Structures are given as structure tokens and as C-alpha cells.
Amino acid sequence: MDARLDYFASPTAGKILKYFMSAGKALKDSPLPAVTQELVALRVSQINGCAACIDMHTKEAAAAGETAVRLNLVAAWREATVFTEAERAALELAEEGTRVADAAGGVGDEVWACAAKYHDEEQLTALVILVSFMNLANRLNIITQQPAGNYEAGQFH
């Protein structure tokens, strides 16, 4: 599969995506635990069906020491026993924040309260921005059919 657009060759994309990449770096440096960030990025990408982002975040998480068992169970995290309560709360918020069209009320109060129980305000801020950021990244890649499989950990960092 060939991508419909080459973001790296486009002057317009270059101007815009430098800010996008900068936002991604700021998220990486946020107080939200790196493991949680990768699990959330992976789950949002799974929901949206973004192969390029699934490829990227699976490899980034593995390079950071995440286990294959946990990575393989992200899609079924509710039934898995390998995630902490804080990770589960983040994954649930990520799902409701991604499925806003399906969850008529958006992120419910109970889900928000659970996430707030395990994450302070700065971590919650990073989590909300990460979910939004990943939904944007997924759409950029899905619309232009960016291929997956060749990403190397650290490629964009």
C-alpha cells in the first residue's frame, strides 16, 4: 500500500506537523507515566483502526520494556489481570474519549472520577490531551492510508 500523501515532502505539512511533533514531545515529557502513555496511545489507535499508530506504539512500548503479554492484552484490558487500577482508569477514559459518537454523553462522570482517583490534575491534563492528540494522529494516517510495518522505535523522537 502506498500513502495518498507524503507528509515529509509537503511544505504545508512540514509547517504544520513541526508543531504537531512538538506537541507530541511535550506529551512525552508530561507527568503522565510513559507506560500509561503508550498503552493509551495503542488503545486509541486500536479503536480507530490506525495501523501506522498501532505499529509505532507497540514498538515504542516494547522498546521501553513493555511485555508482549500486556501489549497483546490491551485490546481486551477489561478482562485482563495484568494492568494496574491507574492504567485501567486511563484506558477507560481513553475509550470513552475516543468513542464520543458512540457514548452519547462523552466521558461519563464515573469514568472521570475513577481517572481522577489515580491521576493528579497535571496527569489528567496530559491524558486528555494525549487522547485528543492520538485521535488526530489516527485520522491523519487513516485518511491518507499511511502504511504500517516499517516503523522503528525512536524514529520520530
Side-chain angles (χ1 to χ4, degrees), residues 64-127:
E66 190 55 79
T67 68
V69 169
R70 283 172 42 97
L71 289 174
N72 289 327
L73 288 173
V74 168
W77 64 267
R78 282 183 175 79
E79 293 81 25
T81 60
V82 298
F83 301 105
T84 68
E85 290 302 314
E87 290 167 344
R88 297 170 71 74
L91 288 165
E92 188 165 25
L93 188 142
E95 284 194 5
E96 284 199 5
T98 298
R99 293 184 165 138
V100 292
D102 301 334
V107 175
D109 291 341
E110 189 175 308
V111 169
W112 183 264
C114 186
K117 178 179 176 182
Y118 297 103
H119 301 92
D120 65 27
E121 191 165 327
E122 284 302 301
Q123 291 173 326
L124 282 171
T125 299
L127 180 58

Side-chain angles (χ1 to χ4, degrees), residues 50-75:
C50 182
C53 290
I54 292 169
D55 183 35
M56 176 182 183
H57 292 289
T58 301
K59 290 173 180 174
E60 289 292 347
E66 190 55 79
T67 68
V69 169
R70 283 172 42 97
L71 289 174
N72 289 327
L73 288 173
V74 168

Side-chain angles (χ1 to χ4, degrees), residues 5-91:
L5 293 176
D6 180 355
Y7 291 130
F8 297 105
S10 166
T12 299
K15 289 180 205 174
I16 296 166
L17 293 179
K18 73 178 178 181
Y19 296 105
F20 186 74
M21 297 303 287
S22 179
K25 172 73 171 105
L27 276 167
K28 288 280 184 204
D29 295 338
S30 78
L32 186 65
V35 169
T36 302
Q37 290 187 41
E38 292 301 338
L39 294 174
V40 165
L42 178 56
R43 185 63 191 127
V44 169
S45 300
Q46 289 171 337
I47 292 166
N48 288 326
C50 182
C53 290
I54 292 169
D55 183 35
M56 176 182 183
H57 292 289
T58 301
K59 290 173 180 174
E60 289 292 347
E66 190 55 79
T67 68
V69 169
R70 283 172 42 97
L71 289 174
N72 289 327
L73 288 173
V74 168
W77 64 267
R78 282 183 175 79
E79 293 81 25
T81 60
V82 298
F83 301 105
T84 68
E85 290 302 314
E87 290 167 344
R88 297 170 71 74
L91 288 165

